[in-house]
Amino acid sequence: MSIMVKVEEKLYQNRYIVDESRPHIQIKSAEACQSCERQACTFCCPAACYSKNETGGVTLVTDGCLECGTCRVVCQDKGNIAWDYPRGGYGISYKFG
């Protein structure tokens, strides 16, 4: 018999080393996020790194980023995400593959 494990519990097992001096994701233009009708990054990011803020824009917190690239895909029409892999020794370390 298998036991159901929530995705959140598995994600909690991952380790992330934050590179505070050089984040690997940045929003290029806050104004472009404010004018974006969908702001798909706020509900498509599996790590919930993006959130709507009180000014109608988008706030990005890279802590816990899964480095999946979903934000780049959903923001292709605006191209407002600057995304690169973290420097060596930083970023996510998956426990379950």
Side-chain angles (χ1 to χ4, degrees), residues 27 29-43 52 56-58 74-81:
I27 294 174
S29 165
E31 293 80 22
C33 288
Q34 285 181 318
S35 67
C36 181
E37 292 179 23
R38 296 180 303 159
Q39 294 181 333
C41 58
T42 61
F43 56 86
K52 292 183 182 183
V58 175
V74 299
C75 192
Q76 278 183 345
D77 55 336
K78 298 234 184 245
N80 197 33
I81 303 293

Side-chain angles (χ1 to χ4, degrees), residues 16-73:
Y16 193 85
I17 300 172
V18 179
D19 187 356
E20 294 178 15
S21 65
R22 196 180 112 200
H24 70 285
I25 306 172
Q26 295 178 341
I27 294 174
K28 294 178 184 177
S29 165
E31 293 80 22
C33 288
Q34 285 181 318
S35 67
C36 181
E37 292 179 23
R38 296 180 303 159
Q39 294 181 333
C41 58
T42 61
F43 56 86
C44 289
C45 176
C49 292
Y50 298 85
S51 60
K52 292 183 182 183
N53 60 34
E54 59 279 345
T55 63
V58 175
T59 300
L60 169 62
V61 178
T62 59
D63 302 2
C65 174
L66 300 175
E67 300 169 22
C68 66
T70 299
C71 55
R72 295 185 305 171
V73 174

